[in-house]
């Protein structure tokens, strides 16, 4: 949709603004005189919203108010401030986020906010001042020392104070007193904006203006001033300010004096915070593509040449050289004057990979991921916006990077769960990437060794062109995978054991050969849960409907959903018996068992607990790569992307918890994980082996994973999806009504269900619920879920909108209803 630039003749008086609030509508504001000509769609504006001031985004202009709209001339408020003369948001991203908000039934403003680097928006703070009524009241204080008087006195003494300042003096509870006293009219509260959190980084440099010779009859220089001049002379006449001070061993004042006297000039320039600055550059070797790679690249190249939209699935087994194809394809797009965007999963964006891309594309590359400091992210983003960076590599939200003239979009490991944003605004970056390419007449390549069922289905039905890489580079054989039937092991040992004799023997053999092992366990912590053998109760989180995980390192039970933790009790809190049992195994416990069993192996663990410090993960992986560590134990963080040439054994301790999750994608995820993990073994020239311990060796996901048989798995899984009415056959929506009061949540959910039934006139929707979600409570909020299925996406969206409107009219609060279109998991 075109955004008409306002013209002189009929200057718009109003503007519709997208606000980052969970409501699917735009808000109308009046344009103050003089601003109309300066405003562009996509520019940020500060606007009053209730009692707050929010940053919104200019969406549309209006010359008249809509008569249907519920606001009158008098009610419409003025824009407080226009923040960008040059809009931050490009027209393309404005259109894309609008589409995404519509598609995912969420707020356009939230989507826009998510598209920008965090910290770019102006923050506001609350300022409290005392009113005349308040001063009057204060005069009645007498000798009382009640909190109210202390509060009023503090404000009166200072004239006005920010909320933060008040809390500093009077403590956190004073927050509530502010609202209370404001209601009584004793104080007034307003919002004021504070400066943007991230700013360009500036650097001062100093340049020598005239070469000073000793016969000059001007006032002689002091010793320090002379040192400054000499230092500058010796280094070619120009230096960075701080460096100059250090070298000349002086303070700032002789430099500024010299500047005043005209000897030198101090300039301020912007510098870039480069996230890769500290990295040594990688070598870039030119490889000869294999026949398969050439064939795939040729098809993509042809599509790039036409300058039209085309979508590909690059289905290549692990180690088949997909990355090389991506890089060549991006280079081709650049050579045609276009830009390139590459999305990677959270975990795969390693410094090693970034360096490699930088070696190839130089300063053209910008990196966007969540580990960057806000300053780095801001600078990278602005290099993209200004056109200085033409290749972007990034995680999920980089799908909204403001590249113009886009030629190619690549989504590596397209099946990866981290592309899904699991909080509002919900979106799937892979799907947004495809739509973005389509709207921008660009080529999109989705790559994976284990495509998601949706994507594979799209390739089957010719929505995507199918490209296959069947062989591993250098003809390296795939790892041989075997299932270990833990029922047999149990029978023979007479008890539950964590390590089967087969796995133990394999670890020993691997070590004897001087090779390395990885052990995958899908749960962090020591044990999965604590059970009382006397009364049968499990120890659960007090805020969530979930069992607590025992972490032995600090002796605490921790909730992995809300971080609630308690010291592990000695006896059962329910029946006071001493028979507490620690059930299931986490990474901590497996590490422990392995250390005891293999005392001469050096073992390291990788999971969220050990890797919370920045750089820790890279360090451990590096040590493993160099062979300083024999065995790596970890969660699925270790399963993806890494390329260790000496790993020949991968053990999977228990795949059953993952398989048993009450979720429609648990089989698919298990299959993908096992295939990925098998790809870790035997990357070098040595043959690899994968041992998977399970109590369900008959499960089709396991059978096909062992056989590396994607098509076989796909066929069986598709039958199951069809029978149960799941994607890709059906479109799903999950509606989660979340509230701290169970009755209120249930009532709202019931109203919503009723409204859905009415919207569902033709009966084409299948509606399930409301029912308790699988995790019925998180962070003290009850979760009531309704699941809607339809074969027709458009009909589903329309009926949902209708139901949302009707439910709202009937008193169901829209803000507690979380709608998720295409949910990735249903828990
Ligand atoms: P995938 O992403 O498909 O798992 P990679 O792109 O990581 O595979 O490639 C696996 C390995 O093969 C890498 O070490 C890569 O450098 C190497 N490689 C890729 N293409 C070639 C080629 N044409 N010739 C030689 N080595 C290659
Ligand atoms: Zn008990
Ligand atoms: Zn919890």
């Amino acid at each position: 949709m075109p955004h008409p630039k306002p013209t002189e003749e009929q200057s718009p008086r109003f503007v519709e603004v997208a606000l980052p609030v969970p409501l699917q509508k735009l808000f109308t504001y009046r344009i103050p005189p003089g601003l109309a000509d300066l405003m562009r769609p996509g520019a940020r504006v500060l606007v009053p919203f209730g009692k707050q001031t929010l940053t919104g985004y200019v969406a549309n202009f209006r010359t008249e108010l809509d008569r249907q709209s519920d606001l009158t001339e008098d009610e419409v408020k003025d824009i407080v401030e226009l923040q960008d003369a040059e809009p931050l948001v490009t027209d393309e991203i404005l259109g894309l986020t609008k589409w995404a908000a519509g598609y995912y039934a969420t707020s356009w403003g939230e989507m826009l906010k998510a598209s920008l680097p965090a910290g770019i928006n102006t923050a506001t703070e609350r300022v409290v001042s005392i009113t005349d009524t308040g001063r009057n009241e204060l005069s009645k204080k007498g000798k009382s020392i009640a909190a109210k008087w202390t509060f009023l006195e503090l404000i009166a003494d200072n004239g006005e104070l920010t909320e933060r300042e008040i809390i500093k003096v009077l403590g956190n509870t004073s927050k509530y007193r502010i609202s209370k006293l404001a209601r009584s009219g004793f104080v007034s509260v307003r919002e004021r904006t504070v400066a943007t959190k991230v700013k360009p980084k500036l650097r001062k440099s100093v340049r020598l203006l005239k070469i000073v010779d000793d016969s000059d009859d001007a006032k002689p220089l002091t010793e320090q001033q002379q040192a400054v001049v000499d230092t500058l002379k010796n280094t070619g006449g120009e230096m960075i300010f701080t460096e100059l001070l250090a070298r000349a061993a002086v303070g700032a004042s002789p430099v500024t004096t010299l500047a005043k006297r005209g000897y030198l000039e101090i300039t301020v320039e912007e510098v870039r915070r480069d996230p890769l600055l500290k990295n040594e550059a990688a070598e870039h070797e030119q490889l000869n593509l294999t026949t398969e790679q050439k064939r795939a690249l040729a098809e993509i190249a042809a599509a790039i040449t036409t300058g039209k939209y085309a979508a590909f699935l690059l289905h290549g087994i692990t180690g088949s050289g997909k990355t090389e194809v991506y890089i060549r394809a991006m280079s081709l797009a650049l050579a045609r004057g276009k830009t390139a965007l590459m999305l990677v999963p959270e975990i795969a964006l390693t410094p090693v990979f970034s360096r490699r891309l930088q070696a190839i594309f130089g300063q053209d590359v910008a990196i966007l991921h969540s580990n960057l400091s806000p300053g780095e992210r801001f600078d990278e983003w602005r290099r993209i916006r200004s056109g200085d960076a033409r290749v972007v590599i990034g995680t999920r939200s980089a799908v909204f990077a403001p590249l113009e003239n886009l030629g190619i979009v690549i989504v590596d490991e397209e099946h990866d769960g981290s592309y899904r944003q699991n909080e509002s605004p919900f979106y799937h970056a892979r799907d947004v990437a495809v739509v973005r390419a389509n709207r921008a007449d660009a080529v999109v390549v989705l790559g994976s060794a284990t495509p998601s069922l949706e994507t594979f289905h799209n390739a089957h039905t010719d929505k995507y062109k199918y490209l296959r890489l069947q062989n591993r580079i250098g003809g390296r054989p795939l790892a041989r995978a075997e299932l270990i039937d833990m029922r047999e092991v149990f029978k023979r040992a007479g008890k539950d054991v964590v390590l089967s004799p087969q796995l133990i023997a394999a670890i020993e053999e691997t070590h004897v050969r001087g090779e390395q092992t990885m052990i995958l366990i899908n749960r962090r912590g020591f044990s999965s849960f604590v059970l009382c053998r006397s009364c049968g109760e499990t120890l659960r989180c007090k805020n969530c409907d979930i069992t607590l995980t025992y972490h032995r390192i600090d002796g605490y039970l921790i909730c992995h959903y809300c971080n609630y933790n308690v010291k592990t009790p000695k006896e059962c809190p329910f029946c006071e018996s001493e028979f507490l049992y620690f059930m299931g195994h986490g990474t901590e416990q497996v590490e422990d068992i392995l250390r005891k069993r293999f005392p001469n192996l050096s073992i390291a663990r990788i999971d969220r607990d050990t890797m919370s410090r920045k750089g820790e993960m890279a360090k451990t992986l590096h040590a493993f790569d160099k062979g300083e560590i024999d065995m790596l134990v970890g969660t699925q963080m270790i399963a993806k992307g890494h390329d260790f040439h000496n790993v020949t054994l991968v053990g999977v301790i228990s795949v059953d918890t993952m398989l048993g999750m009450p979720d429609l994608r648990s089989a698919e995820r298990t299959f993908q994980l096992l295939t990925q993990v098998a790809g870790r073994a035997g990357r070098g020239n040595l043959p690899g082996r994968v041992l998977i311990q399970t109590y369900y060796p008959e499960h089709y996901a396991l059978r096909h994973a062992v056989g590396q048989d994607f098509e076989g798995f796909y066929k069986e899984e598709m039958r199951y999806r069809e029978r149960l009415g799941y994607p890709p056959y059906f479109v799903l929506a999950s509606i989660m009504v979340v509230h701290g009061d169970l009755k209120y949540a249930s009532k709202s959910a019931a109203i919503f269900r009723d409204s859905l039934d009415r919207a569902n006139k033709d009966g084409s929707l299948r509606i399930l619920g409301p029912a308790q979600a699988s995790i019925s409570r998180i962070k003290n909020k009850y979760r009531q879920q309704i699941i809607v299925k339809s074969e027709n996406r458009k009909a589903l969206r329309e009926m949902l909108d209708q139901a949302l409107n009707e439910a709202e009219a009937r008193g169901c609060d829209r803000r507690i209803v979380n709608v998720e279109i295409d949910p990735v998991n249903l828990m």
Side-chain angles (χ1 to χ4, degrees):
M1 187 186 63
H3 295 279
K5 198 184 144 208
T7 56
E8 297 279 328
E9 300 85 76
Q10 30 139 248
S11 263
R13 296 173 51 228
F14 304 98
V15 65
E16 285 185 314
V17 176
L19 287 176
V21 295
L23 296 167
Q24 285 184 69
K25 57 180 176 190
L26 298 175
F27 298 85
T28 306
Y29 291 91
R30 187 181 296 104
I31 305 175
L35 274 191
D37 294 343
L38 302 174
M39 276 201 193
R40 300 276 179 283
R44 291 174 305 165
V45 284
L46 275 184
V47 295
F49 186 73
K51 283 190 180 142
Q52 304 162 277
T53 308
L54 295 180
T55 300
Y57 311 87
V58 173
N60 309 306
F61 295 100
R62 288 243 207 113
T63 41
E64 293 301 327
L65 281 179
D66 190 349
R67 229 169 290 191
Q68 310 290 330
S69 118
D70 39 15
L71 289 182
T72 65
E73 264 314 312
D74 291 340
E75 287 166 330
V76 173
K77 294 191 185 134
D78 279 16
I79 281 177
V80 177
E81 196 182 303
L82 171 65
Q83 299 198 285
D84 317 304
E86 187 60 35
L88 283 186
V89 183
T90 62
D91 280 348
E92 189 215 344
I93 298 300
L94 205 58
L96 182 68
T97 48
K98 183 177 182 183
W99 168 83
Y103 185 90
Y104 291 108
T106 70
S107 141
W108 187 9
E110 285 190 340
M111 207 58 98
L112 277 162
K113 188 175 176 191
S115 80
L116 293 170
I120 208 169
N121 280 340
T122 314
T124 60
E125 60 187 5
R126 279 150 57 94
V127 183
V128 183
S129 51
I130 191 160
T131 61
D132 289 344
T133 326
R135 289 191 192 279
N136 229 340
E137 182 74 5
L138 193 56
S139 66
K140 299 178 204 154
K141 173 193 165 201
K143 286 206 164 46
S144 167
I145 51 156
K148 171 178 150 188
W149 304 115
T150 322
F151 187 98
L152 285 177
E153 216 154 37
L154 179 74
I155 311 280
D157 288 350
N158 288 280
E160 60 173 37
L161 283 175
T162 65
E163 185 176 71
R164 191 136 37 100
E165 290 164 332
I166 296 172
I167 289 173
K168 233 191 233 159
V169 182
L170 298 176
N172 227 336
T173 48
S174 51
K175 210 163 158 180
Y176 307 108
R177 195 167 302 279
I178 296 173
S179 341
K180 203 169 151 200
L181 293 177
R183 277 198 301 275
S184 317
F186 298 150
V187 297
S188 70
V189 182
R190 67 191 168 78
E191 301 256 350
R192 104 177 146 203
T193 56
V194 289
T196 322
K197 275 181 267 168
V198 279
K199 289 206 175 90
K201 183 172 168 186
L202 300 175
R203 189 171 66 187
K204 275 201 247 180
S205 43
V206 182
R207 195 159 64 90
L208 197 60
L209 287 182
K210 50 177 168 179
I211 302 299
V212 191
D213 71 75
D214 298 327
S215 65
D216 217 25
D217 53 11
K219 199 170 140 200
L221 299 181
T222 65
E223 203 175 306
Q224 293 204 334
Q225 288 168 350
Q226 192 61 52
V228 169
V229 171
D230 290 345
T231 311
L232 275 169
K233 261 193 205 161
N234 292 339
T235 49
E238 184 159 1
M239 284 182 85
I240 291 163
F241 192 81
T242 47
E243 213 170 284
L244 173 63
L245 298 192
R247 288 263 202 107
V250 296
S253 90
V255 183
T256 42
T257 311
L258 283 171
K260 272 191 216 130
R261 287 176 61 183
Y263 283 88
L264 37 91
E265 180 188 45
I266 302 176
T267 52
V268 178
E269 62 186 313
E270 209 184 302
V271 291
R272 173 183 164 211
R273 285 159 284 209
D274 183 351
L276 293 178
L277 201 60
K278 290 180 217 91
N279 295 320
E280 61 233 65
E283 297 270 303
H284 172 47
E285 49 176 327
Q286 272 297 333
L287 303 169
N288 291 322
L289 293 188
T290 64
T291 317
E292 281 186 333
Q293 282 174 319
K294 273 191 202 141
R295 202 180 306 135
L297 183 64
E299 292 228 25
I300 299 168
I304 293 173
T305 315
T306 64
K308 293 217 180 70
Y309 166 76
F312 296 92
L313 165 59
L314 180 60
H315 184 186
I317 59 173
T318 48
S320 60
K322 296 186 284 297
T323 313
E324 198 58 34
V325 176
Y326 303 149
I327 288 171
R328 304 271 175 128
M330 289 197 285
S331 304
L332 288 174
L334 290 192
R336 300 188 63 86
K338 303 263 185 164
T339 61
L341 170 64
M342 177 169 182
L343 299 180
V344 293
E346 210 75 68
I347 207 120
L349 190 44
T350 57
V352 179
F353 187 56
S354 307
R355 249 182 274 149
R356 192 168 152 213
L357 284 180
Q358 206 184 34
I360 297 161
F361 297 113
Q363 293 302 306
D364 262 334
V365 186
I367 311 265
L368 292 175
H369 65 85
S370 52
N371 257 345
L372 298 187
S373 72
E376 286 172 341
R377 197 174 324 161
F378 179 64
D379 287 3
E380 289 295 83
W381 192 89
R382 285 185 325 144
R383 288 200 316 121
I384 303 166
R385 180 70 181 91
S386 67
D388 286 344
R390 302 195 302 141
V391 181
V392 173
I393 160 158
T395 49
R396 187 173 58 225
S397 66
V399 72
F400 296 114
L403 284 166
E404 301 203 56
N405 201 12
L406 192 61
I408 188 166
V409 185
I410 284 160
V411 185
D412 188 24
E413 310 281 6
E414 66 81 29
H415 64 277
D416 194 274
S418 72
Y419 288 126
R420 177 73 189 186
Q421 162 116 332
N422 271 324
E423 56 187 41
S424 188
F426 297 99
Y427 65 88
H428 200 302
R430 174 201 59 214
D431 297 345
V432 175
V434 173
V435 172
R436 180 169 184 185
N438 189 320
R439 297 170 58 103
D441 288 325
V443 169
V444 60
V445 181
L446 309 180
S448 176
T450 52
S452 63
L453 283 227
E454 283 86 345
T455 298
F456 197 69
H457 182 67
N458 282 335
H460 251 210
T461 52
D462 292 331
K463 266 178 83 179
Y464 301 159
K465 275 180 219 137
Y466 186 64
L467 307 172
R468 187 88 166 102
L469 301 179
Q470 304 250 31
N471 302 300
R472 287 186 125 188
I473 297 291
R476 289 168 203 155
L478 271 173
R480 186 161 46 92
E482 300 152 50
L483 296 174
I484 297 173
D485 188 344
M486 291 305 278
R487 293 170 303 196
E488 293 292 323
V489 174
F490 178 82
K491 242 187 266 163
R492 242 175 267 145
K495 60 173 187 193
D496 254 335
V497 293
V498 174
L499 302 176
S500 59
Q502 296 95 311
L503 184 55
I504 290 172
I507 291 172
E508 267 160 6
E509 286 159 22
T510 305
H511 183 59
V512 167
R513 286 198 309 265
E515 296 159 12
Q516 292 167 298
T517 300
M518 296 208 308
I519 299 288
L520 182 80
I521 165 97
N522 211 20
R523 172 124 194 161
R524 66 196 168 97
F526 191 82
S527 66
S528 323
F529 60 97
V530 182
L531 172 84
C532 171
R533 285 254 162 119
S534 183
C535 72
E537 289 282 352
T538 49
L539 301 190
R540 306 178 85 78
C541 174
K542 86 180 174 38
N543 306 319
C544 312
D545 169 35
I546 202 92
T547 53
L548 293 167
T549 303
Y550 176 52
H551 288 239
R552 204 195 41 170
I553 288 285
D554 44 19
Y556 272 84
L557 296 171
I558 298 175
C559 169
H560 286 178
Y561 279 81
C562 74
N563 269 332
Y564 166 77
N565 52 74
V566 282
K567 196 109 196 109
T568 309
K570 295 237 163 18
E571 47 191 41
C572 171
F574 302 99
C575 73
E576 295 177 6
S577 93
E578 290 162 29
F579 301 107
L580 288 181
Y581 277 78
F582 298 91
M583 310 288 290
H585 322 289
T587 42
E588 250 182 60
Q589 188 181 21
V590 170
E591 182 193 9
D592 205 55
I593 294 171
L594 285 165
R595 275 185 199 286
K596 285 200 184 110
R597 188 69 189 66
F598 302 101
N600 56 337
L601 262 67
S602 92
I603 299 176
R605 186 177 71 172
I606 285 196
D607 58 26
R608 222 174 340 133
D609 296 323
T610 59
M611 295 299 132
S612 45
R613 267 193 303 137
K614 206 177 166 180
E616 196 67 32
M617 172 127 167
K619 237 201 260 160
T620 309
L621 292 176
H622 191 63
F624 189 58
D625 195 30
K626 284 188 12 208
E628 291 158 11
I629 295 168
D630 300 317
M631 183 193 286
L632 207 55
V633 183
T635 52
Q636 38 189 319
M637 282 171 102
I638 66 173
K640 294 173 195 168
H642 315 297
D643 193 357
F644 302 113
H645 289 255
N646 197 35
V647 173
T648 53
L649 174 65
V650 175
V652 184
I653 293 296
S654 168
V655 76
D656 300 342
T657 36
M658 188 172 197
L659 210 50
M661 295 264 199
D663 190 65
L664 83 104
R665 286 189 173 79
S666 54
E668 184 182 355
R669 273 199 212 104
T670 308
F671 177 84
Q672 284 163 349
L673 179 69
L674 291 179
T675 311
Q676 288 288 333
V677 94
R680 292 314 103 209
R683 298 276 285 190
N685 296 317
L686 306 159
R689 199 170 166 207
V690 181
L691 296 180
I692 303 159
Q693 302 189 154
T694 175
Y695 283 89
Y696 307 103
E698 304 82 15
H699 196 288
Y700 65 95
L702 302 186
R703 270 195 291 106
H704 292 305
V706 164
Q708 297 275 347
D709 178 8
F710 181 83
E711 276 79 7
F713 171 74
Y714 173 78
K715 253 188 219 144
E716 211 152 330
E717 180 69 6
M718 285 295 273
R719 265 206 299 276
Y720 158 80
R721 299 279 179 97
E722 183 168 28
R723 204 169 57 235
L724 294 180
Y726 279 146
Y729 293 103
F730 281 74
V731 181
L732 285 190
S734 158
I735 294 108
M736 198 74 84
V737 183
V738 181
H739 198 265
D741 180 22
L742 177 59
K743 268 203 196 125
Y744 187 74
S746 313
K747 200 181 117 206
S748 306
I751 295 175
F752 194 84
R753 164 79 210 223
D754 201 51
S755 310
L756 257 179
D757 282 332
R758 285 194 224 186
N760 186 20
K761 281 192 200 82
D762 62 358
S764 66
L765 297 187
R766 290 201 216 165
I767 309 170
L768 310 169
Q772 277 188 6
S774 307
I775 302 171
S776 67
R777 191 170 53 116
I778 291 181
K779 297 182 189 173
N780 271 328
K781 291 198 166 156
Y782 292 92
R783 306 166 83 234
Q784 293 279 318
Q785 189 176 31
I786 297 172
I787 291 171
V788 186
K789 301 177 183 182
S790 171
E791 282 174 296
N792 181 334
R793 183 176 290 277
K794 195 155 161 276
L796 174 73
R797 280 291 286 114
E798 282 168 6
M799 289 188 223
L800 249 172
D801 275 346
Q802 204 180 322
L804 280 165
N805 287 335
E806 189 187 315
E808 196 170 8
R810 290 170 61 194
C812 171
D813 185 351
R814 178 69 180 83
R815 283 167 306 184
I816 70 165
V817 180
N818 296 299
V819 175
E820 216 184 320
I821 308 285
D822 302 340
V824 161
N825 71 55
L826 291 176
M827 298 161 66

